[in-house]
Amino acid sequence: MSPSTDIAIIGAGPQALTLVTHLLQKKAAMRNRFVVIDPAGEWLHQWHHQFRALEIPHLRSPAVHHPDPNPHALRTFAEGRPDELFPPYALPSTALFHDFCDSVIQRWNLADRVLAGTVQHLELCQVLGRQRFRLSLADGRQLLARRVVLAIAGGTPQIPNWARQIPQTYPSQRLRHSSQIDLRGLSLAGERILIVGSGLTSGHLALGATARGAQVILMARRQVYAKLFDAEPGWLGPKYLKGFQAEPSWLRRWQMIQQARNGGSVTPAMLLRLRRLERQSRLTFYEQCQVQRSEWKGDAWRVHCSAEAEHDCIAHLPIDRIWLATGSQMNIDRWPLLADVRATHPIEIVHGMPVLDHHLRWPGCNLFIMGGAAALQLGPVARNLFGGRLASDRIVPALVKPSLGQSRPAASLTA
């Protein structure tokens, strides 16, 4: 590893790949001016793993959303595989998207551009009177960078309070957050599994469990409802984004993001499959119902719901496993990687989300942030594939144009 670089990109997921292809399209001479660092040492490792682990057959995003700058590239790639574009909006199969991304990596000659390493510490320093970042890796290596792009998912698993309060006396595999579950190789025949959550992940877990012979209880604190995308298509263009960008209040923007995503939802096709399993008595819905407490007794869970006075619910049923499809929480205050930057360059943070400048740069330094943490600037689709394109449209100009290279202090920012 070279001891210094112009741009260090932390993370090698779809957002980072999107940024790199857009950067090279804008200025091919940037090819040797960046390094990508990821624990796996390869592109999209975690992304592909999660899709395989939950046996997700196709993406929720249409075929125009992907890491290549040409929005039609995936459709062109899929011309010989039309049966892998699912209705109603040409949703690419997991295998098709995997192969397409491989082709993007090859076409842009990026296969060897990911350095295997885990960045444990990010520190601002001065080198010959100029601001630089010192990246310290887990294996002791260090790297100096003029600019840093943080392209990590960054969410931490959201664990309900009742689950946090359970003493660690149960077998660890009997209570899992969805991020820890790999359906492949699991033997579940004859088991009863409680899945908590109402989003698409809970649906994939339910399908995987019933396919392996388990009896599933799907519990949600509200009605399980269907919509095609996790945020309305109007958020992909000016229809909604124009009003969002015109909103001067960061708090109001945060509220707009929450309203747009509206917690978890499943696709209409998924809800159809789940209701079919319900009719076959392989799955039971408990909607508008929450776990109040749970205890490990003998070799099973005893679960008490919040409405026991109104109905018997599941208190009498031994539960073999509890799976938490409760999503993740975005809060950069809890990112150890940003501790030094937060201390030296304090900025406004709204419900865990940073107030960045127009180019998604941390005010006062050359740290750029992609993904869900950039939602106050990009809107509710920031963490999606299309969010990677929106982020690249803002970051790339600041990386290639010297006139945009300086960050303003936080005090000068307005929404």
Side-chain angles (χ1 to χ4, degrees):
M1 180 174 74
S2 170
S4 65
T5 186
D6 181 5
I7 304 165
I9 301 170
I10 303 175
Q15 296 238 350
L17 182 58
T18 303
L19 176 71
V20 168
T21 60
H22 283 69
L23 178 64
L24 294 178
Q25 184 196 46
K26 192 75 174 176
K27 191 173 181 179
M30 300 295 288
R31 173 169 297 280
N32 296 315
R33 293 177 59 181
F34 68 85
V35 61
V36 182
I37 307 169
D38 187 272
E42 61 183 65
W43 290 105
L44 306 182
H45 175 84
Q46 185 61 21
W47 169 279
H48 292 323
H49 168 76
Q50 288 173 329
F51 272 78
R52 288 192 296 263
L54 296 185
E55 298 179 334
I56 301 173
H58 61 76
L59 276 65
R60 197 175 191 175
S61 299
V64 290
H65 303 316
H66 52 72
D68 194 82
N70 176 5
H72 307 295
L74 177 49
R75 276 189 174 276
T76 303
F77 182 82
E79 281 177 359
R81 301 163 68 169
D83 56 333
E84 291 188 62
L85 293 174
F86 290 78
Y89 290 105
L91 311 177
S93 74
T94 300
L96 175 65
F97 190 80
H98 182 287
D99 294 346
F100 170 73
C101 287
D102 277 353
S103 76
V104 171
I105 292 162
Q106 295 302 323
R107 184 157 26 91
W108 290 92
N109 194 23
L110 297 170
D112 61 349
R113 296 311 301 268
V114 183
L115 174 75
T118 301
V119 181
Q120 287 193 325
H121 192 61
L122 182 65
E123 177 189 4
L124 274 163
C125 59
Q126 293 288 322
V127 177
L128 299 177
R130 300 192 176 193
Q131 186 188 83
R132 293 290 184 268
F133 292 91
R134 182 180 291 112
L135 287 71
S136 300
L137 277 60
D139 60 7
R141 289 177 295 172
Q142 290 194 338
L143 173 72
L144 278 179
R146 185 162 75 94
R147 285 125 17 129
V148 170
V149 181
L150 207 50
I152 59 176
T156 52
Q158 195 153 273
I159 309 296
N161 285 334
W162 60 263
R164 293 181 187 276
Q165 293 166 3
I166 301 172
Q168 294 282 338
T169 54
Y170 56 89
S172 60
Q173 75 275 13
R174 296 306 183 101
L175 173 61
R176 283 273 194 254
H177 186 269
S178 58
S179 60
Q180 302 170 302
I181 297 169
D182 191 335
L183 289 168
R184 299 167 298 175
L186 279 183
S187 178
L188 304 173
E191 292 193 17
R192 183 180 286 114
I193 300 176
L194 171 65
I195 300 175
V196 179
S198 59
L200 195 53
T201 297
S202 66
H204 288 303
L205 289 174
L207 294 184
T210 53
R212 287 163 174 76
Q215 190 75 28
V216 168
I217 296 168
L218 196 58
M219 182 177 283
R221 60 185 175 186
R222 62 180 186 187
Q223 289 290 126
V224 176
Y225 77 105
K227 61 178 183 177
L228 278 170
F229 309 112
D230 51 7
E232 292 300 322
W235 285 106
L236 304 177
K239 183 176 180 181
Y240 295 155
L241 281 178
K242 191 174 179 182
F244 180 82
Q245 303 295 354
E247 172 55 56
S249 164
W250 297 113
L251 177 60
R252 177 64 189 135
R253 285 197 189 192
W254 180 84
Q255 291 168 341
M256 292 168 77
I257 293 164
Q258 307 314 305
Q259 290 164 6
R261 297 195 74 93
N262 194 25
S265 63
V266 298
T267 60
M270 174 63 80
L271 189 56
L272 198 66
R273 294 183 70 182
L274 296 176
R275 294 297 182 191
R276 187 178 299 135
L277 289 170
E278 181 186 31
R279 290 194 296 273
Q280 296 168 355
S281 301
R282 297 161 67 190
L283 182 149
T284 306
F285 281 90
Y286 280 104
E287 296 168 289
Q288 296 178 324
C289 190
Q290 296 185 67
V291 175
Q292 186 175 51
R293 60 188 173 88
S294 182
E295 51 192 332
W296 181 256
K297 280 196 169 182
D299 59 355
W301 291 107
R302 298 291 173 175
V303 180
H304 303 269
C305 82
S306 56
E308 272 191 338
E310 299 166 28
H311 59 86
D312 192 23
C313 199
I314 59 174
H316 63 290
L317 295 175
I319 306 289
D320 295 291
R321 297 174 196 254
I322 300 175
W323 288 349
L324 303 173
T326 45
S328 61
Q329 195 170 37
M330 179 66 64
N331 187 350
I332 64 154
D333 279 329
R334 297 179 183 169
W335 290 12
L337 209 51
L338 292 179
D340 186 73
V341 175
R342 292 204 324 269
T344 57
H345 291 75
I347 64 169
E348 185 178 357
I349 295 173
V350 180
H351 291 280
M353 293 182 182
V355 174
L356 307 170
D357 74 9
H358 175 77
H359 297 290
L360 308 187
R361 183 169 38 197
W362 191 284
C365 65
N366 278 313
L367 171 68
F368 300 83
I369 295 183
M370 305 182 75
L376 289 179
Q377 287 68 35
L378 301 180
V381 298
R383 68 185 187 186
N384 298 7
L385 288 168
F386 184 69
R389 182 178 292 266
L390 290 177
S392 298
D393 288 345
R394 294 197 182 207
I395 295 174
V396 168
L399 295 180
V400 300
K401 295 181 183 177
S403 61
L404 300 176
Q406 294 302 315
S407 176
R408 295 178 298 161
S412 65
L413 283 193
T414 56

PDB file of all heavy atoms in Angstrom, residues 52-53 55 182-188 212 321:
ATOM      1  N   ARG A  52     -27.682 -13.482  -0.685  1.00  0.00           N
ATOM      2  CA  ARG A  52     -27.636 -14.955  -0.644  1.00  0.00           C
ATOM      3  C   ARG A  52     -28.142 -15.485   0.689  1.00  0.00           C
ATOM      4  O   ARG A  52     -28.863 -16.488   0.740  1.00  0.00           O
ATOM      5  CB  ARG A  52     -26.216 -15.451  -0.909  1.00  0.00           C
ATOM      6  CG  ARG A  52     -25.748 -15.290  -2.345  1.00  0.00           C
ATOM      7  CD  ARG A  52     -24.455 -16.054  -2.587  1.00  0.00           C
ATOM      8  NE  ARG A  52     -23.357 -15.523  -1.788  1.00  0.00           N
ATOM      9  CZ  ARG A  52     -22.450 -14.658  -2.227  1.00  0.00           C
ATOM     10  NH1 ARG A  52     -22.514 -14.218  -3.468  1.00  0.00           N
ATOM     11  NH2 ARG A  52     -21.484 -14.239  -1.440  1.00  0.00           N
ATOM     12  N   ALA A  53     -27.764 -14.817   1.781  1.00  0.00           N
ATOM     13  CA  ALA A  53     -28.121 -15.297   3.117  1.00  0.00           C
ATOM     14  C   ALA A  53     -29.629 -15.302   3.338  1.00  0.00           C
ATOM     15  O   ALA A  53     -30.161 -16.186   4.018  1.00  0.00           O
ATOM     16  CB  ALA A  53     -27.454 -14.428   4.184  1.00  0.00           C
ATOM     17  N   GLU A  55     -31.760 -15.393   0.758  1.00  0.00           N
ATOM     18  CA  GLU A  55     -32.327 -16.029  -0.440  1.00  0.00           C
ATOM     19  C   GLU A  55     -33.302 -15.094  -1.159  1.00  0.00           C
ATOM     20  O   GLU A  55     -34.420 -15.471  -1.502  1.00  0.00           O
ATOM     21  CB  GLU A  55     -32.989 -17.366  -0.071  1.00  0.00           C
ATOM     22  CG  GLU A  55     -31.991 -18.362   0.506  1.00  0.00           C
ATOM     23  CD  GLU A  55     -32.620 -19.690   0.918  1.00  0.00           C
ATOM     24  OE1 GLU A  55     -33.828 -19.700   1.228  1.00  0.00           O
ATOM     25  OE2 GLU A  55     -31.900 -20.694   0.938  1.00  0.00           O
ATOM     26  N   ASP A 182     -28.310 -16.473   8.331  1.00  0.00           N
ATOM     27  CA  ASP A 182     -28.016 -17.023   7.015  1.00  0.00           C
ATOM     28  C   ASP A 182     -28.894 -18.263   6.849  1.00  0.00           C
ATOM     29  O   ASP A 182     -28.681 -19.283   7.508  1.00  0.00           O
ATOM     30  CB  ASP A 182     -26.531 -17.387   6.916  1.00  0.00           C
ATOM     31  CG  ASP A 182     -26.100 -17.719   5.497  1.00  0.00           C
ATOM     32  OD1 ASP A 182     -26.967 -18.137   4.694  1.00  0.00           O
ATOM     33  OD2 ASP A 182     -24.907 -17.567   5.174  1.00  0.00           O
ATOM     34  N   LEU A 183     -29.907 -18.151   5.999  1.00  0.00           N
ATOM     35  CA  LEU A 183     -30.871 -19.241   5.839  1.00  0.00           C
ATOM     36  C   LEU A 183     -30.234 -20.509   5.287  1.00  0.00           C
ATOM     37  O   LEU A 183     -30.697 -21.616   5.572  1.00  0.00           O
ATOM     38  CB  LEU A 183     -32.009 -18.798   4.910  1.00  0.00           C
ATOM     39  CG  LEU A 183     -32.988 -17.762   5.477  1.00  0.00           C
ATOM     40  CD1 LEU A 183     -33.863 -17.195   4.364  1.00  0.00           C
ATOM     41  CD2 LEU A 183     -33.855 -18.376   6.561  1.00  0.00           C
ATOM     42  N   ARG A 184     -29.184 -20.338   4.517  1.00  0.00           N
ATOM     43  CA  ARG A 184     -28.552 -21.496   3.886  1.00  0.00           C
ATOM     44  C   ARG A 184     -28.001 -22.451   4.946  1.00  0.00           C
ATOM     45  O   ARG A 184     -27.269 -22.046   5.835  1.00  0.00           O
ATOM     46  CB  ARG A 184     -27.429 -21.031   2.957  1.00  0.00           C
ATOM     47  CG  ARG A 184     -27.900 -20.141   1.816  1.00  0.00           C
ATOM     48  CD  ARG A 184     -26.739 -19.457   1.122  1.00  0.00           C
ATOM     49  NE  ARG A 184     -26.006 -18.563   2.024  1.00  0.00           N
ATOM     50  CZ  ARG A 184     -24.888 -17.922   1.695  1.00  0.00           C
ATOM     51  NH1 ARG A 184     -24.367 -18.093   0.500  1.00  0.00           N
ATOM     52  NH2 ARG A 184     -24.286 -17.134   2.553  1.00  0.00           N
ATOM     53  N   GLY A 185     -28.366 -23.694   4.838  1.00  0.00           N
ATOM     54  CA  GLY A 185     -27.835 -24.687   5.769  1.00  0.00           C
ATOM     55  C   GLY A 185     -28.620 -24.831   7.059  1.00  0.00           C
ATOM     56  O   GLY A 185     -28.331 -25.711   7.870  1.00  0.00           O
ATOM     57  N   LEU A 186     -29.609 -23.958   7.278  1.00  0.00           N
ATOM     58  CA  LEU A 186     -30.408 -24.071   8.501  1.00  0.00           C
ATOM     59  C   LEU A 186     -31.396 -25.228   8.394  1.00  0.00           C
ATOM     60  O   LEU A 186     -32.073 -25.389   7.384  1.00  0.00           O
ATOM     61  CB  LEU A 186     -31.187 -22.779   8.765  1.00  0.00           C
ATOM     62  CG  LEU A 186     -30.445 -21.615   9.422  1.00  0.00           C
ATOM     63  CD1 LEU A 186     -31.409 -20.461   9.651  1.00  0.00           C
ATOM     64  CD2 LEU A 186     -29.820 -22.033  10.745  1.00  0.00           C
ATOM     65  N   SER A 187     -31.501 -26.015   9.451  1.00  0.00           N
ATOM     66  CA  SER A 187     -32.492 -27.090   9.525  1.00  0.00           C
ATOM     67  C   SER A 187     -33.579 -26.663  10.509  1.00  0.00           C
ATOM     68  O   SER A 187     -33.330 -26.533  11.705  1.00  0.00           O
ATOM     69  CB  SER A 187     -31.822 -28.383   9.993  1.00  0.00           C
ATOM     70  OG  SER A 187     -32.775 -29.415  10.104  1.00  0.00           O
ATOM     71  N   LEU A 188     -34.790 -26.406   9.998  1.00  0.00           N
ATOM     72  CA  LEU A 188     -35.839 -25.803  10.824  1.00  0.00           C
ATOM     73  C   LEU A 188     -37.111 -26.643  10.891  1.00  0.00           C
ATOM     74  O   LEU A 188     -38.118 -26.197  11.440  1.00  0.00           O
ATOM     75  CB  LEU A 188     -36.192 -24.405  10.266  1.00  0.00           C
ATOM     76  CG  LEU A 188     -35.033 -23.416  10.121  1.00  0.00           C
ATOM     77  CD1 LEU A 188     -35.512 -22.159   9.415  1.00  0.00           C
ATOM     78  CD2 LEU A 188     -34.445 -23.075  11.486  1.00  0.00           C
ATOM     79  N   ARG A 212     -38.414 -24.466   4.832  1.00  0.00           N
ATOM     80  CA  ARG A 212     -37.621 -25.459   5.554  1.00  0.00           C
ATOM     81  C   ARG A 212     -38.448 -26.205   6.596  1.00  0.00           C
ATOM     82  O   ARG A 212     -37.910 -26.850   7.484  1.00  0.00           O
ATOM     83  CB  ARG A 212     -36.421 -24.768   6.211  1.00  0.00           C
ATOM     84  CG  ARG A 212     -35.359 -24.365   5.208  1.00  0.00           C
ATOM     85  CD  ARG A 212     -34.389 -23.342   5.769  1.00  0.00           C
ATOM     86  NE  ARG A 212     -33.295 -23.095   4.829  1.00  0.00           N
ATOM     87  CZ  ARG A 212     -33.399 -22.353   3.726  1.00  0.00           C
ATOM     88  NH1 ARG A 212     -34.563 -21.757   3.459  1.00  0.00           N
ATOM     89  NH2 ARG A 212     -32.378 -22.198   2.902  1.00  0.00           N
ATOM     90  N   ARG A 321     -37.393 -20.232  18.064  1.00  0.00           N
ATOM     91  CA  ARG A 321     -36.462 -19.165  17.699  1.00  0.00           C
ATOM     92  C   ARG A 321     -37.211 -17.845  17.581  1.00  0.00           C
ATOM     93  O   ARG A 321     -38.384 -17.816  17.207  1.00  0.00           O
ATOM     94  CB  ARG A 321     -35.793 -19.434  16.338  1.00  0.00           C
ATOM     95  CG  ARG A 321     -34.927 -20.672  16.279  1.00  0.00           C
ATOM     96  CD  ARG A 321     -34.446 -20.898  14.841  1.00  0.00           C
ATOM     97  NE  ARG A 321     -33.927 -22.256  14.672  1.00  0.00           N
ATOM     98  CZ  ARG A 321     -32.645 -22.562  14.573  1.00  0.00           C
ATOM     99  NH1 ARG A 321     -31.729 -21.593  14.619  1.00  0.00           N
ATOM    100  NH2 ARG A 321     -32.262 -23.807  14.425  1.00  0.00           N
TER     101      ARG A 321
END
